[in-house]
Amino acid sequence: MPGGPELIIILVVVLVLFGGSQLPKLARNLGKAQKEFKEGMGEGSSSTAPAAEPPPAQPAPPAAQPAPPPPPPSAPPMPPPAPPQADS
């Protein structure tokens, strides 16, 4: 947290950047944003509370049937190319 001299420097920089006429609007918007943030945090914590009843149990899925065998390959794989022969 900034101390006394740092806080004064920050306030002067904000005043220079935004101007005196914009500071009330900036402060008002910051207050609204802080209020909305706190309300959102309250809503978020209430919605994460555990439910009173557990969800109903889901029936087990039917037994899986074996997959059909893969189709035979359409063409045999090509043999690797032969290494070049050196003539003597």
Side-chain angles (χ1 to χ4, degrees), residues 17-39:
L17 287 176
F18 294 106
S21 63
Q22 296 295 323
L23 287 181
K25 292 178 186 177
L26 180 65
R28 189 177 311 116
N29 288 337
L30 285 175
K32 286 180 183 179
Q34 182 180 8
K35 180 182 174 186
E36 290 177 8
F37 179 75
K38 286 183 179 180
E39 288 175 357

